[in-house]
Amino acid sequence: MAHDIERADLALMLEAVQRSVFTRFTLRVNGTHVNASRLRATEAVDGTEVIQVTAPRVGLFHPDVAAGTEVDADTDIGSIESYRKTVPVKAGRAGKIVSLRVPGGSFVEYGQPLARLRVASAGGDP
Amino acid sequence: MMKFRRVLVANRGEIAVRVIRACKALGLETVVTLSEADRDTLAASMADRTVCIGPSRSTDSYLDIDAIIATALGTQCDALHPGYGFLSEKAELAEACAQAGIVFIGPRAETIRNLGNKIRARALAIAAGVPVVPGRNDVANHDAARAVADEIGLPILLKAAAGGGGRGMQVVRNLESLRTAFETATAEAAAAFNDGTLYIERFIPNARHVEVQVLGDRHGNVIHLGERDCTLQRRHQKVIEEGPATRVAPDIVARMRQAAIDLARGVNYENAGTVEFIFDQDRGEFFFLEVNTRIQVEHPVTEALTGVDLVVQQIRIAAGEPLPMRQEDVRIQGHAIECRINAEAAFENFRPSPGTISAWSAPHGEGIRVDSHCFSGYVVPPFYDSMIAKLIVVGADRTDCLRRTRTALRAFRIDGVTTTLDFLRLLVDRPEFAEGNVNTRWIEAVMAEPGFTDAHAAQQEETNDQR
């Protein structure tokens, strides 16, 4: 019983998966089996993958990139100013910014799409 | 004419719904903060606008002051209502609001800070002439402990002066056991806090919890709206609340009400607040416990008795309006009982029972009020407090009210999640509750009875037969 999984923990794990780069999640604890796949925030355009970069916090979005900017996974595409706290918005994947979804200075919710990013194909140019 | 146009409701669940209703009654627009788990709530559908402020975990959403202030600013709200729980009693939120130019619907930050500190609150109560539990916080040796015991009388409670919580707590019922208890408590205090100094206070084994609702405005007016008896608790969580306090002598009730006013006046209290007292049923004495500087879960009891909408009053006071009534205008009529219904398996040690509500049928009719954010199909998330509804029943007197409460509890049907409804039905059917012959430890005593779970099985059968 001590190693059973709590609902709250499972929900937190699934949320973490949703925010991660992983698309599938399998968990086996004692008699509990969980199979989950991430909701896809991607679109297929010309066989390439386009993802949404979403707001990591609620606040004002200040972009540092424009359509066409090439980014690495850890590039800051901008920041969110959340009253006294400012956090960077990481691209998350390497690729090229297709478009910004909201104008600079906009108030955005947590999880709101901020930019579309065409993911670089493995080993090649986007 | 209202000074505000738009209010940020920085909470969730039934209190978010309650605050939105009050705002609508005043013609105010509402924005409600949501975590990721709360996107499809009743509050979300009622508010003019919703803002997701963070993930499900409350430390990353409902407890994030910067996220909340950013939301108030980003949505052009003039005022913020914190509800209860979460940040409602954090002076930091009230302060941040003031700095950001948003009106905090609650007391001033300074008041929240002073009354939120147990030692300062006790000093403020003493300064206002309000009785506090007899005790000393500087007991360093056995002789001093003995002197305190002689002065305040047994039984006494020994605890570390430096720390809170139950660590090192010892109850002493006779002088013979004082030395051993003193040495144990001192050793535990020294080990835990590097300071063996003890706090000793009178232990009150047969207590009622009685609290007085107060309202204060910016213009120096303070009134009380009667009291609520919240003696039925489990692990310091209130289970059933009622008003007025029929099992406390009227002269003592009158003194409690006056004490609450004196304390509120002493700190220039602004907005709604509750002064909590412990009433010693054996000695007939009452003492100050603490002040809750927020709207409380059980505020509908007072609303049912006085007809005053406390949340509307909170908003009006925050807007700078004077109280609309004087003390002599306040009428307390009838009797009201509130039952808190939680998504918990009461007979399995109150294990939380989140999940989907498959059927929801609340009682209705004259004298019945249900405050809830739930409905058939609602998913109770596992992240937050498990309260899913409050049933408030008003009657002509306590007997009438209790009869109506029993009927209403029987008519309440919630399927899909396990609730405390059966547990509440069991409590209100007990003769001790009807007689008012209870104390703050009564529920735990009921639960410790050998037949506790059997009684539940019998009641379930009875309920099934009735269907």
Side-chain angles (χ1 to χ4, degrees), chain A residues 7-9 11-12 15 18-19 56-60 81-85 107-112, chain B residues 36 39 49 51-57 64-67 69-71 74-75 96 99-100 354 383:
Chain A
R7 269 169 192 266
D9 292 336
L12 288 171
E15 272 185 24
Q18 182 61 27
R19 287 194 300 272
R57 268 186 80 79
V58 65
L60 302 176
E81 179 193 349
S82 193
Y83 193 47
R84 296 166 303 198
K85 198 180 282 181
F107 173 71
V108 295
E109 291 186 77
Y110 168 75
Q112 185 172 334
Chain B
E36 219 166 25
R39 286 187 187 274
R49 182 172 176 186
V51 175
C52 183
I53 59 164
S56 306
R57 201 197 292 258
D64 186 331
I65 293 179
D66 288 283
I69 300 288
T71 303
T75 56
Q99 280 159 9
F383 308 104

Side-chain angles (χ1 to χ4, degrees), chain B residues 373-418:
Chain B
H373 56 296
C374 296
F375 47 85
S376 182
Y378 176 70
V379 180
V380 180
F383 308 104
Y384 314 108
D385 183 88
S386 59
M387 193 177 76
I388 52 174
K390 307 187 299 203
L391 169 69
I392 305 101
V393 179
V394 66
D397 55 27
R398 190 170 189 272
T399 308
D400 179 46
C401 181
L402 185 52
R403 184 180 54 77
R404 288 164 180 265
T405 301
R406 289 192 185 117
T407 308
L409 276 173
R410 271 193 197 92
F412 214 136
R413 184 175 158 220
I414 303 167
D415 292 341
V417 298
T418 307

Side-chain angles (χ1 to χ4, degrees), chain B residues 21 30 61 100-101 115 120 200 205 209 257 276 321 382 398 409 428 463:
Chain B
R21 289 216 168 100
T30 50
S61 47
L115 292 174
R120 252 179 286 173
I200 299 186
H209 173 114
R257 291 170 172 181
E276 295 192 337
E321 294 182 18
R398 190 170 189 272
L409 276 173
V428 300
T463 311

Side-chain angles (χ1 to χ4, degrees), chain B residues 8-209:
Chain B
L8 184 74
V9 182
N11 213 300
R12 63 174 306 282
E14 69 87 18
I15 195 64
V17 172
R18 173 73 188 88
V19 174
I20 292 169
R21 289 216 168 100
C23 289
K24 282 181 187 284
L26 288 166
L28 299 170
E29 292 177 26
T30 50
V31 179
V32 66
T33 58
L34 305 173
S35 78
E36 219 166 25
D38 280 340
R39 286 187 187 274
D40 302 316
T41 58
L42 184 57
S45 66
M46 290 170 64
D48 295 296
R49 182 172 176 186
T50 65
V51 175
C52 183
I53 59 164
S56 306
R57 201 197 292 258
S58 50
T59 45
D60 300 326
S61 47
Y62 298 111
L63 292 171
D64 186 331
I65 293 179
D66 288 283
I68 289 164
I69 300 288
T71 303
L73 293 172
T75 56
Q76 290 91 42
C77 286
D78 317 293
L80 179 154
H81 197 299
Y84 53 66
F86 294 126
L87 294 168
S88 59
E89 291 184 280
K90 291 276 182 252
E92 293 80 7
L93 178 64
E95 233 150 45
C97 281
Q99 280 159 9
I102 297 153
V103 175
F104 178 78
I105 302 174
R108 296 183 307 280
E110 174 205 10
T111 310
I112 298 174
R113 181 162 287 131
N114 285 336
L115 292 174
N117 176 302
K118 274 196 184 303
I119 295 162
R120 252 179 286 173
R122 188 176 157 98
L124 287 166
I126 293 169
V130 175
V132 297
V133 180
R136 296 281 301 257
N137 63 359
D138 57 354
V139 181
N141 59 57
H142 176 259
D143 287 345
R146 175 67 200 255
V148 173
D150 287 343
E151 185 192 324
I152 66 181
L154 293 169
I156 53 174
L157 186 69
L158 277 52
K159 52 189 176 187
R167 205 124 57 116
M169 283 221 286
Q170 298 276 331
V171 175
V172 177
R173 295 174 200 281
N174 52 63
L175 283 176
E176 295 75 62
S177 60
L178 179 61
R179 185 174 291 274
T180 316
F182 176 82
E183 281 163 8
T184 309
T186 306
E188 285 186 25
F193 307 105
N194 229 358
D195 180 356
T197 310
L198 294 186
Y199 175 73
I200 299 186
E201 69 174 24
R202 184 182 292 165
F203 178 64
I204 302 170
N206 186 19
R208 293 190 92 90
H209 173 114

Side-chain angles (χ1 to χ4, degrees), chain B residues 424-467:
Chain B
L424 292 164
R425 289 168 187 144
L426 179 150
L427 292 180
V428 300
D429 281 346
R430 293 277 299 221
E432 301 98 310
F433 181 63
E435 292 152 15
N437 186 19
V438 296
N439 61 35
T440 48
R441 299 188 302 166
W442 180 67
I443 284 187
E444 264 123 15
V446 170
M447 287 170 60
E449 288 171 3
F452 180 61
T453 43
D454 302 341
H456 166 57
Q459 186 152 27
Q460 265 197 330
E461 269 172 37
E462 185 192 332
T463 311
N464 290 340
D465 291 347
Q466 282 169 357
R467 272 190 192 151

